[in-house]
Amino acid sequence: MEFENKDHKKAYERINKMMLELFGEAGATASDDRPHWLVSAGSAMVHVSVTTWRDNMNLVQITAYVAQGTEVTEPCMRYLLEENHTMVFGGFAIDSDGDIAFGHSVVAETCVKSDLKTIISALRSTADGYDDTIVARWGGKRAYD
């Protein structure tokens, strides 16, 4: 596995320890070639990555894909933005492929295990709760169907 620098590797090792303690090897599937894990529940799959930001800070980026192939119309975007306003953790986004995701980032060096667990759980349940609603209203399919 390649890292941007020694601090990136250190941040990955720290978060990897937390992921194993929280989910075990069966609950969080680690990537062999990059600092990344998958955590599944219901129809949601949460991606957890340790990335370098601005060359001197590492982030834990937590993303749950919600829907793909959805007709992203103005009413759909307005719905997502209005829902973002009500969220405690995370927000909806649309990637370059038009897939709808829900994500949140935290600083890796200051992240504690209880916060990581809370954020992953919140994103997982949010994606699992919204995917059916979004697909029913604007088409497409849930991200992991």
Side-chain angles (χ1 to χ4, degrees), residues 75-122:
C76 176
M77 289 186 282
R78 182 175 182 90
Y79 172 79
L80 296 174
L81 285 171
E82 287 174 351
E83 292 304 300
N84 278 350
H85 185 69
T86 69
M87 298 297 168
V88 175
F89 291 107
F92 287 103
I94 301 166
D95 72 10
S96 60
D97 295 325
D99 296 336
I100 298 171
F102 190 76
H104 187 80
S105 297
V106 295
V107 176
E109 288 80 2
T110 59
C111 181
V112 295
K113 186 168 55 171
S114 60
D115 290 350
L116 184 62
K117 180 180 180 181
T118 299
I119 295 165
I120 291 171
S121 296

Side-chain angles (χ1 to χ4, degrees), residues 16-132:
N16 187 54
K17 181 179 181 208
M18 288 184 211
M19 293 294 290
L20 287 171
E21 290 171 359
L22 289 170
F23 303 103
E25 288 185 23
T29 306
S31 172
D32 291 332
D33 60 348
R34 59 191 178 119
H36 182 88
W37 303 263
L38 292 174
V39 181
S40 63
S43 60
M45 181 76 68
V46 179
H47 297 257
V48 180
S49 299
V50 177
T51 60
T52 298
W53 183 61
R54 295 190 177 177
D55 296 327
N56 63 352
M57 183 179 288
N58 296 290
L59 300 177
V60 181
Q61 292 183 296
I62 306 155
T63 305
Y65 283 89
V66 178
Q68 54 186 313
T70 301
E71 188 176 349
V72 183
T73 61
E74 184 178 325
C76 176
M77 289 186 282
R78 182 175 182 90
Y79 172 79
L80 296 174
L81 285 171
E82 287 174 351
E83 292 304 300
N84 278 350
H85 185 69
T86 69
M87 298 297 168
V88 175
F89 291 107
F92 287 103
I94 301 166
D95 72 10
S96 60
D97 295 325
D99 296 336
I100 298 171
F102 190 76
H104 187 80
S105 297
V106 295
V107 176
E109 288 80 2
T110 59
C111 181
V112 295
K113 186 168 55 171
S114 60
D115 290 350
L116 184 62
K117 180 180 180 181
T118 299
I119 295 165
I120 291 171
S121 296
L123 267 66
R124 185 167 50 185
S125 64
T126 299
D128 195 32
Y130 275 88
D131 57 5
D132 293 323

Side-chain angles (χ1 to χ4, degrees), residues 66-70 99-100 131 134-135 138-145:
V66 178
Q68 54 186 313
T70 301
D99 296 336
I100 298 171
D131 57 5
I134 290 168
V135 168
W138 292 285
K141 60 183 181 176
R142 297 180 304 181
Y144 290 95
D145 281 345

